[in-house]
Amino acid sequence: GFKGRNISHITVEQSVKDLCMIYMDANEEDKLKFFTELAEKYGVDHDYVTTAAMNLASCKDYDYKLTLEEKLRGALVPKSQWLFTQIGRLENGVKFLVDLRTDLLDAIGKSEGNNASLKALNNGIRDLLGNWFSIGFLNLERVTWQSSCEMLQKISEYEAVHPMRNWTDLKKRVGPNRRCFVFTHNSMPAEPVVVLHTFLTDHIASSVQKIVTSHRMRMMSLDSDLPMSNTAEDPNFISTAIFYSITSTQRGLTGIELGNYLIKRVVRELQSEFPKMTQYSSLSPIPGFTKWLTSSLKSETRISQNLLTETEIDALKPIFETYSSDKNFYQVFLDLLKVNTWFSDPRLVKELEKPLMRLCAQYLFVVKRRGYALDPVAHFHLKNGAVMWRLNWLGDESPRGLGQSCGMMVNYRYFLDNCENNSQNYMENQVIQASDQMQHLVKLT
Amino acid sequence: GFKGRNISHITVEQSVKDLCMIYMDANEEDKLKFFTELAEKYGVDHDYVTTAAMNLASCKDYDYKLTLEEKLRGALVPKSQWLFTQIGRLENGVKFLVDLRTDLLDAIGKSEGNNASLKALNNGIRDLLGNWFSIGFLNLERVTWQSSCEMLQKISEYEAVHPMRNWTDLKKRVGPNRRCFVFTHNSMPAEPVVVLHTFLTDHIASSVQKIVTSHRMRMMSLDSDLPMSNTAEDPNFISTAIFYSITSTQRGLTGIELGNYLIKRVVRELQSEFPKMTQYSSLSPIPGFTKWLTSSLKSETRISQNLLTETEIDALKPIFETYSSDKNFYQVFLDLLKVNTWFSDPRLVKELEKPLMRLCAQYLFVVKRRGYALDPVAHFHLKNGAVMWRLNWLGDESPRGLGQSCGMMVNYRYFLDNCENNSQNYMENQVIQASDQMQHLVKLT
Amino acid sequence: GFKGRNISHITVEQSVKDLCMIYMDANEEDKLKFFTELAEKYGVDHDYVTTAAMNLASCKDYDYKLTLEEKLRGALVPKSQWLFTQIGRLENGVKFLVDLRTDLLDAIGKSEGNNASLKALNNGIRDLLGNWFSIGFLNLERVTWQSSCEMLQKISEYEAVHPMRNWTDLKKRVGPNRRCFVFTHNSMPAEPVVVLHTFLTDHIASSVQKIVTSHRMRMMSLDSDLPMSNTAEDPNFISTAIFYSITSTQRGLTGIELGNYLIKRVVRELQSEFPKMTQYSSLSPIPGFTKWLTSSLKSETRISQNLLTETEIDALKPIFETYSSDKNFYQVFLDLLKVNTWFSDPRLVKELEKPLMRLCAQYLFVVKRRGYALDPVAHFHLKNGAVMWRLNWLGDESPRGLGQSCGMMVNYRYFLDNCENNSQNYMENQVIQASDQMQHLVKLT
Amino acid sequence: GFKGRNISHITVEQSVKDLCMIYMDANEEDKLKFFTELAEKYGVDHDYVTTAAMNLASCKDYDYKLTLEEKLRGALVPKSQWLFTQIGRLENGVKFLVDLRTDLLDAIGKSEGNNASLKALNNGIRDLLGNWFSIGFLNLERVTWQSSCEMLQKISEYEAVHPMRNWTDLKKRVGPNRRCFVFTHNSMPAEPVVVLHTFLTDHIASSVQKIVTSHRMRMMSLDSDLPMSNTAEDPNFISTAIFYSITSTQRGLTGIELGNYLIKRVVRELQSEFPKMTQYSSLSPIPGFTKWLTSSLKSETRISQNLLTETEIDALKPIFETYSSDKNFYQVFLDLLKVNTWFSDPRLVKELEKPLMRLCAQYLFVVKRRGYALDPVAHFHLKNGAVMWRLNWLGDESPRGLGQSCGMMVNYRYFLDNCENNSQNYMENQVIQASDQMQHLVKLT
């Protein structure tokens, strides 16, 4: 064990650096070995802990109890934790640790069964990173075409929600009527830790394609004597901020909440830049709907659940039969969903709107996991105090949007004065604040 | 207790903010009450911990043991720790916590006897701050006359070792042939957390007054076409860096080591700026010498210790008698030390040099506390791997220098190739690396 | 002459650099010689010009005339102009030239009689500098306590209108409820070329002492979670910007107008920072009043001019006699003005208010030079389109204010919508836009 | 005429701004009209000038002559010049003027015959811009992948010498072992006015394809504790800087020399970054060679000139005949050159090397225009003091390189100590400093 009070910090630093260099060259298998050894040999000294626990359990003196608690607390810190702390002191060490945790999460994911000690190791790193990525240490930066190519390249690469096809796309995402804000951390300066894309407009947008392809340009308000370009923003037009993409880029920071803080800070920035800004809303994907729907349609209980009304089934049946005459209704439905065939058939687009909207509203509003919304994006915004505001038919017609949620998108709206109440009500009482439209959709049959 | 998993983070943030605002207006007494309540009511749930410890002590299953350890680890985190984490997330929250710990250290200092729970509270904050002030999160900045007035004003105010009298003094300390480097932390950007003043010269300087009043100016090497000023540095002359003042400015960061990292980083900066730089040394105060000497002179065993040789006593006695004929020798000696009277008497300056140099060398080299050098500045540099290089008679003739160490200063020299070995040898074997001069002085009688 | 088309630019650069280095070491006498030689030997080749002028005068062909004009234009550029252009290409060369022109203006000031060629030389440099200090090349910078010490030291040293006594004064002038803006030029970056001090308040201020000593501090609007200081600005209170000091720092830029551009830019900055800002006004000294008054009182025609009304004389006479019984009325008046004796006598402060206010209003509004206001500060603001708004009794009680203008100050107010008209009307028709108060004062007897 | 001493500057500014806005929307024809009107109606008042010239020609008094000269100088400044000065004061006005001059140069290029007044107009703008783009006002910036996307996009678009195909190309050009430096001007900050691409290596490179496709990567010298990437520069390897592309991006700055200053500044930067840097050389295109060769081959005197030796003709003839049996030798040669057919035939690549190298050396070294090298790139580097160092066969195998100069490139080498002499010798005596290889090639037959 190289942890010790009386070792020169120079010796320590060199050893730790060497260890990191070896790790960087290791393959997946080596890394797993490394993790396992760390977890088992450099974990807690279980015998020592047991003894310390015994001593504490039998202690009667208050002051002495405090001392024993302190001792036990120290004993419960695995030796590996000390190594991670040392790594964090190296230049680029924090980023190294974030990437190491990514590897560790992979290893845990791939491990079968017996991974309790790997999980304990992971918890230790998470707690450390949680301390280091405390919100106070993150810097809010606006990304524009004047930002560094390094940053913009990363913004482009990390964008998973609505991918960019080329640099022209990218230029538009950071151009007029958009705001792209990121959190960066001092110890990994060119790395956008969380990214939030916002669209500036005058209404609660319902379709992301319109945002991504918008070309509205107005004459600039002449801030300078001679304009360098003849396109710009009209602050009198802008009343609404649409958060249309939020991405946490570092898998190694899983479990450390930053996105909600970014939204909160961006709202503050926008308020001060646009005094006439009054509406804040997301335009969000519904990543789990199709999966849930598919699974429900396959389930034994699909009929008793009344997923579709009889009227709906009657209307769809003749159309389904034009696709396959021998498969049963639900089988055809599943086939049509699988590769988005339904979307190319105007009859289906028309007839499916009502049932899919209802089912999706139910998925968002009714389906729960441990009392909270099953859909992770829904859970994220509801936790932040947003209202489930509007479900939008054909809000995202991209293959991705059709695949995830049959093309639907949802607005979670932020009413600044009520966020606290909503958030509290959701977290403490599991109550989802939803608009009339949403509530109506749910009940609709 | 307002800690809880299912509380809206907005609610939490507002409550914590309110608490901080109340604290900022509180007086000393209120603060003590606040600390006591935190320590006692928001500490660890001792009963719960005892039960958890008992369960762990009796558990036999490996995997389940891990779970119980995790549980106990959580139980041992005082509730107050969670509050401090929340405070750290507020803007300016980290600085608030550093200042709060300063208050807490004051409170502990003033408390009599029963302060075990305050100390536990303090340990918790120290660990948290230790994570946050990990070296990777500190920025190295050079301070010059082009730095902000805000920063320079602080540099001036924090300088305790060799105080500046006015802005002209300050301008010199950040001017040619000097380097002033600081560590800043992102969460308190205009605050120099540690400050290191370095003098650039061609030899191991022996007197700080010469540094503080140096006026050597040379023609600048013409980097620009026309010089803006006719004074500058001569890179061919500069071979030596003298660290003549290092200050940790935040008492609230007591126990979190940063100074050694600053020295290491500055060495690296200087190496890259001055390829001909070969010598690195401190010129350091000896804060504890006079105190130790006084106490030794008062001690019963002063004679058996042979503090002074008979020859020395014989030489000094007649001079001492010109000051007081009725007091005994040691009493007069103590009087002469008290207000630095000896320094105004050339006879004493001459006769005291040999004994004081020897005694000071002994103080530095021989006197120990738990095996390590008693003098805190010595301990700091030896831990960093420096060599105790040279004791300088009349190195600091300021009242402060005379008062602390009878005007002596010491060079701790950094031989870069040996620092690691020295540091290790000191920390592990308690061996002090000292020059021949020092070793000779110690034995001299 | 080393000007020539086919010389290597490297040779040229080295020669010019050498010349500058020699100049920098020269004394006043050497410099005068240098100027004289430049003006006479490196001026225009007069014979060549005469011939070229003759050729042009007799040319009949249009196209050929253009060629001859181009030739003559070239011939009229003195050789020295080419040297100055070369100097401007050196690093720090522009600042060198600005300082050289300061020397030249000194030399012209001291020369008696025959200085036509020095003046021609001066015109050449002025034109060159005028090109280089075109407004487009100046950077607007706000100076705060976070600005560099180098900049703040200069701000302090250059402040002539209301001098600062110490760094605390300085900190206040760049602190809350003030804005200090400067123009800098890229070729001399740490040099504030023009400085404008603005005070932010809710009314047209009438006294500069109140500005300089104001301590109004309000609770900050909580932009950050925890305040670092408890004093700040209240944007709801601020409706008025008072320009209370404007300084052009480089005498070598005499004749190149920059101050008006600075005011215009600052107005734009303030408008965007404070949406509720509606009033803009200077609070200006009246540098020429006492001088004019003294000279008028001494003049033969002082009685026929009716400087004072009989009522006023009757009221003042008994008080004057308490100072001197044998001197005549005007002589005593002049004595009382000379060292501001009147200001210590409440009787005089009371009785002089009416006549001095009237006389000063007349000085500002009626006394002219070539059709424009004689007072240079008045001329500056009127040219910018300001309105002569209000004369303030005891607006500046400092010795300087009493000496220059018997303690009076004047507000020139900027009504943004009318500036253009006012400026045009003043410049083209010599009409001074003045408030009712000013017009009333002028006529008052 | 709107020029006048007594016009409000606010009125002026608005008028000028309006004029610019109109110009920006104008088409080519409108612009020509605008230029013509400016040139003719807002030029010099020729009658007034004639009278002033007459007065001057007949004046005898020295001092009065100075006055008349000043007057004439003023009269010779066209009124349009004043307008341009005003434009330069607007924000973005300088860039506007640079672009306007581009339009004007186009108009002059397209005009037939009578354009004397347009040329006079152009001279006026050139002089003004020459003052504004004085080297002292240009900022040296290094462009890297951390520079703004805006800047990098422009670097990519302006690169004409060796065009980039995509962003990966671009990333390499600003990556390890390269330096891309630009001059920017404060009044058009995101615009690289001149761009210099440098390759860092250990020898005088002879082929640009090797530079553009180089992948040499070495382990980084560990400046930081943990490397973020495993590729970097080896300062011990780098001894040579190859300037492989220099571009002036603004046609509106034609005639204002900036490139030489950029090279000089970059040399200084590299010297300070790489103490072991000893060799500086360009790797340059020869833009005029093929054109000159083609024209020589077509000329009547092609035989008497002995372009090719008889041995060479004998060797080439049989190969040429495989391409065409009925055309004459020179005709075939011209055909082979036209679409670089020769380059696909290894026999021709072999046989043409000697004659083409000789002819190209002659073109560079012997062919002159007004005494100076005809090739513009040669003239540029020779003027800067470089030595014509080495002609490289197949230095640029791109279609562009083959088309311009039969694939040859040339190194102009900068020996820092001799640049001044060389430059002077070239400019004053038209002597080209060339290496033995070049001199040998020229004489080779």
Side-chain angles (χ1 to χ4, degrees), chain A residues 293-362:
Chain A
L293 177 61
T294 305
S295 139
S296 299
L297 289 175
K298 283 180 185 162
S299 140
E300 296 296 307
T301 58
R302 64 196 174 192
I303 294 164
S304 62
Q305 274 184 308
N306 284 323
L307 292 175
L308 299 178
T309 64
E310 280 187 29
T311 329
E312 287 163 356
I313 292 176
D314 289 347
L316 287 166
K317 216 170 210 169
I319 314 177
F320 279 18
E321 281 167 356
T322 66
Y323 285 89
S324 168
S325 51
D326 51 352
K327 293 187 178 170
N328 83 20
F329 180 84
Y330 289 100
Q331 195 54 50
V332 179
F333 198 173
L334 285 164
D335 286 355
L336 288 169
L337 287 175
K338 205 179 290 166
V339 286
N340 307 325
T341 322
W342 66 272
F343 183 63
S344 320
D345 185 335
R347 295 171 304 171
L348 288 173
V349 172
K350 180 168 177 289
E351 293 299 336
L352 282 171
E353 175 171 358
K354 200 179 138 198
L356 286 179
M357 287 283 277
R358 182 186 66 246
L359 288 163
C360 191
Q362 286 171 356

Side-chain angles (χ1 to χ4, degrees), chain C residues 155-208:
Chain C
I155 293 292
S156 169
E157 287 171 0
Y158 285 137
E159 174 61 30
V161 186
H162 308 293
M164 302 165 199
R165 293 157 305 166
N166 51 39
W167 284 83
T168 312
D169 258 27
L170 174 56
K171 192 169 179 179
K172 192 162 58 194
R173 302 267 176 108
V174 297
N177 296 306
R178 268 107 183 143
R179 289 293 178 277
C180 173
F181 281 100
V182 300
F183 270 147
T184 56
H185 191 271
N186 249 39
S187 62
M188 31 197 267
E191 196 68 43
V193 175
V194 199
V195 185
L196 177 62
H197 286 278
T198 304
F199 180 63
L200 307 177
T201 181
D202 67 342
H203 66 285
I204 309 288
S206 62
S207 155
V208 78

Side-chain angles (χ1 to χ4, degrees), chain C residues 392-410:
Chain C
N392 303 297
W393 181 242
L394 302 186
D396 181 1
E397 305 185 5
S398 74
R400 185 188 174 89
L402 291 168
Q404 280 189 342
S405 55
C406 302
M408 285 172 282
M409 297 197 85
V410 60

